[in-house]
Amino acid sequence: MDIIAHYGGVDRMKLLPVKREHICHVWDRVEPQVTSALDLGMMTDTPEFDAEYVHKKLLEGVWELLVAIDDRGDIHGSAVLSYTDYPSARVAHVVSMAGRHICTPELLIQFKNILTSSEVTRIQGYDRPSMVRLLKRLGFYPRYTLMELVL
């Protein structure tokens, strides 16, 4: 089965970056998605940050928000990114990704186009096992295993 057909009309979805000055206009619609992603993704009793911290970083312009919208302008998904520059690579770190149909081949093409226009050379993220399985189907591969000891 064609994955786009399976999602029913998702090929009309657009992934758009939200300018810092427009964060306040979409935050009330995006915040539940960010909270949900962080709740699912932070597999610890003491998460490193919450949606309020994400909002602060977005307003400061340190992190970037992308939204997946349909033809009517309704938001169906969101992604929050941070960036790290290395000598040989510019990496977009996915801080949060949530919503309906946010991980489709069509939106991945748009995602890559947005990031390459910002000279990003790699996309990375820490993910729970179910997201790892989904991202593998889209061409991602495991690079590191995160190990942690709480002090």
Side-chain angles (χ1 to χ4, degrees), residues 11 29 70 90 111 133 138 144 150:
D11 54 337
R29 291 176 281 164
D70 64 19
R90 178 167 169 80
F111 190 48
R133 288 190 299 274
L138 294 172
Y144 302 108
V150 177

Side-chain angles (χ1 to χ4, degrees), residues 79-82 92-97 111 123-127:
V80 176
L81 308 171
S82 68
H93 297 277
V94 179
V95 174
S96 160
M97 184 177 282
F111 190 48
I123 306 167
Q124 295 179 351
Y126 296 108
D127 297 300

Side-chain angles (χ1 to χ4, degrees), residues 67-88:
V67 293
I69 63 168
D70 64 19
D71 294 339
R72 296 183 314 250
D74 294 333
I75 297 174
H76 290 270
S78 64
V80 176
L81 308 171
S82 68
Y83 297 94
T84 303
D85 292 309
Y86 296 105
S88 62

Side-chain angles (χ1 to χ4, degrees), residues 20-34:
R20 185 172 100 182
E21 58 268 20
H22 297 140
I23 297 295
C24 59
H25 299 295
V26 299
W27 183 250
D28 61 329
R29 291 176 281 164
V30 172
E31 189 273 334
Q33 294 173 355
V34 171

